[in-house]
Amino acid sequence: MNTSSPIGVFDSGVGGLSILREIRRDFANEDLLYVADSAFVPYGEKSPRLIEARSVAIAEFLIDRKAKAIVVACNTATGAAISTLRSRYCMPIIGIEPAVKPAVEKTVSGIVAVLATSRTLSSGKFAKLLTRFGDDADILIQPCTGLVEQVETGELQGGKTRDLIEKYLLPLLERGVDTIILGCTHYAFLAPLIREIAGPRVSIVDPAAAIAHELRRRLEGNNLLSPDPRSGKEAFWTSGEPDDVRPVVSQLWKADVEVGRLPKRYC
Ligand code: DGL
């Protein structure tokens, strides 16, 4: 790998495109590889062992494609697999976790909600995060079963999605929450609906920009930033059925894209 090698990004499905979008915004000239592990989505309902095995298989694929850095664009996979990935591979590996610290700094009511998968919320990594940064506010945790599936089918605004968000959000708002942490990369695509339901006085904290920032810091530190002035390209893969996944990737990426089938040995 060298400065012109691509950056690899993966998630259980299409949620990590919210991180890829931010990376593209910040790195116009880098080539980006994206893997949606659609055959195994949602990770939130899978065992940590399986998520770890899937993360390693996808990392191997990205490394075989010469990735110079890997972004785990998934809170659930970060919780289950980031230490294993970092112990196996020596390139920069950037993970994502619920942005508790910025939310605690932001809240005025002192009541913050974390929306995430139940797997993220029950991980040891999240418990440590709460111990470290959660003392100065009341942190209410809310697993949001079903929301990942809505994003996977491109249902960002429909009645079922709205019903689910209302079911999860209204009790939190009644308890005085004024800051909501999006603790799952899929939920970034639901931010407009969450904002509409929560109202303008509630802040929504999405860590995507911070991840792109951290990626720049790590690439710079390792002299891996591409000096190439040309525009970077994206390439997409899925472990699921490319014909099923392509329309949703195109919808969320706002462009007609090709999605390749992840070779069997990585599935
Ligand atoms: N987008 C993921 C996350 O950030 C995974 C959700 C899932 O597959 O359950 O946690």
Side-chain angles (χ1 to χ4, degrees), residues 72-112:
V72 183
C74 175
N75 294 262
T76 314
T78 299
I82 197 108
S83 342
T84 305
L85 295 179
R86 287 192 176 134
S87 68
R88 281 189 185 217
Y89 311 112
C90 58
M91 73 236 297
I93 297 181
I94 291 96
I96 181 166
E97 53 191 14
V100 175
K101 185 170 179 251
V104 167
E105 284 164 4
K106 197 169 218 153
T107 179
V108 176
S109 70
I111 310 175
V112 168

Side-chain angles (χ1 to χ4, degrees), residues 12 37-44 46 50 54 239-240 266-267:
S12 60
D37 198 14
S38 324
F40 295 87
V41 71
Y43 278 179
K46 305 291 184 303
L50 178 66
R54 292 307 304 146
S239 58
Y266 304 103
C267 293

Side-chain angles (χ1 to χ4, degrees), residues 11-16 18 34 40-46 72-78 96 116-120 148-149 152 182-187:
D11 176 42
S12 60
V14 295
S18 62
Y34 184 85
F40 295 87
V41 71
Y43 278 179
E45 314 292 315
K46 305 291 184 303
V72 183
C74 175
N75 294 262
T76 314
T78 299
I96 181 166
T117 68
S118 45
R119 182 62 63 211
T120 294
V148 165
E149 288 85 339
E152 285 296 313
L182 302 182
C184 170
T185 51
H186 281 76
Y187 304 167

